[in-house]
Amino acid sequence: MTLLNTFLFVFLLSTPYSHAQQVNGKNHGRNKLPEIGAAGFSALSIDKEQLIGNAMMKHLRASQPIVNDPVLIEYINDLGNRMVRNAQDVHYNFEFFLVNNKELNAFAFFGGHIGIHTGLITTAETESELASVVAHEISHVTQRHLARKMEAQNRNQPLTMAGMISGVLLTLINPTVGMAALSTSMAASQQASINYTRTNEKEADRVGIQLLANSGFDPMGAPNFFSKMAEQYRYKSKPPAMLLTHPLPESRISEARVRAQNFPARQIRASLQFELAKARLKARYEGNAQDNIKRYLIEIEKQRYVYKEAAQYGLAIAYFENENYEKSHEIIKSLLTKDQNNLFYIDLFTDLHIKVKNFPPILERLEKLNLLMPNNQVVALNYANALNEAENYQAAEILLQDFLLVQPNNFIAHDLLTDTYKKQNKMAMMHATKAEVFALLGAYPRAIDELQTGYNYADDKPLVKKRIKARIIQLQEQENKLKRLN
């Protein structure tokens, strides 16, 4: 069995439908670099890489705690794409996503998919430190390290790849378990893999630091973050996940510092958006509401913050989570008077008005914002949610349909539209849209079942039946594409 076939065989065996329902059912540079990004093509074509990457992304949606939070998704994609615009050898659109995990880890895989653990954001002290990790992972993708590693391993040890490939995806997500799986491979092959990985890491450091500088960030963010991680875990028996997949010997830290110092010193103002993202993660995804309220009150009193607005925002979320809606509203209303289009504030403002069922003010504000920022996911999804809660289902339906024309793979939008159709008793369309939710999880049999159920509800709607039948054929073809690769 070839290396690619082995990977696909292992990958296609796992389709965690029941767990999927559990998880998702809730609610320009100075240093010249070698042009080696095109390597790895003989092992894996760009088309196949994208196909496998999309399949892996569906698998992760179904099996990992992906953060389905439009505000944070918007933030991390804005940060990542600022650097992608300055990168070379970009063959496809990138997708950046967050995994709700305090472990310090980040990973890149086929087709421009980059996952960031939430612990990285809350641990980084500056946006340049966070950006350095994202730039590093972008460089792994543009230099096609995974495809090149597969090619080298297949050439050197073709008979030992099954054990190694079976741990690749697991290693990306859970390095402790994944590395244990990989360690069962033959010693010679394992050593070759380690050596190749070290070469990849140096190359990603070199490309990443230049990318960081070219994108307007402080290139010292990379060695600074490296040093903090190495020092923090120097004497710990259990290093963070990121140090297992991205080893940090002293030589690597020194080389990163020397390379960063080749760029002009840059004083960069602290990022409010970064601080708001940290506050949102800490107040909404970590700890409990009452403890978070106390912590933010102390931070504000003792002025232990980079931006007071971010500390106030964290406190407003903590109050909201503790159902102190009046206090939360007082803070967020004040913040909005100074920054009326800030999407972090708009999102919480929407949640507050929905909770107290005061729809006119938020619908008016979101309608204006939707004209100002058409197809922005934070605005569109909040607007649709508010329209649903206000029982204006037809307007919500039209809004979501238009949005999905632009962002057809938006999981939250499909989920919201499913609910919109259900509330209108449009059962054929409800099942058809629910099928898209399952398709985004890679659960093709479940998706096709939903479409067939929808087809049975559409007896008096010949056009709907025709569209559903066409979609069944499309999903069957997508499933068969993966099988043909194997």
Side-chain angles (χ1 to χ4, degrees), residues 58 444 471 474-482:
K58 294 174 192 290
Y444 291 116
R471 187 56 178 151
Q474 287 178 337
L475 291 183
Q476 288 171 337
E477 178 58 24
Q478 286 181 24
E479 190 173 25
N480 288 334
K481 277 184 180 180
L482 288 178

Side-chain angles (χ1 to χ4, degrees), residues 17-34:
Y17 302 144
S18 60
H19 185 59
Q21 290 172 283
Q22 270 188 338
V23 173
N24 294 299
K26 301 177 190 177
N27 91 90
H28 273 58
R30 294 171 56 185
N31 302 302
K32 186 170 178 61
L33 302 174

Side-chain angles (χ1 to χ4, degrees), residues 317-334:
I317 291 178
Y319 277 137
F320 177 85
E321 295 295 325
N322 201 47
E323 299 182 1
N324 302 127
Y325 301 133
E326 189 174 338
K327 289 183 177 180
S328 180
H329 184 268
E330 183 181 343
I331 295 171
I332 208 68
K333 187 177 179 181
S334 174

Side-chain angles (χ1 to χ4, degrees), residues 18 31 69 78-79 90 101 104 152 194-195 214 269 276 300 317 350 358-359 465:
S18 60
N31 302 302
D69 184 321
D78 178 70
L79 177 73
V90 176
N101 192 321
L104 302 187
I194 292 171
N195 291 339
N214 290 351
R269 185 179 179 182
L276 290 171
I300 293 169
I317 291 178
T350 304
N358 183 16
F359 299 112
K465 292 182 78 169

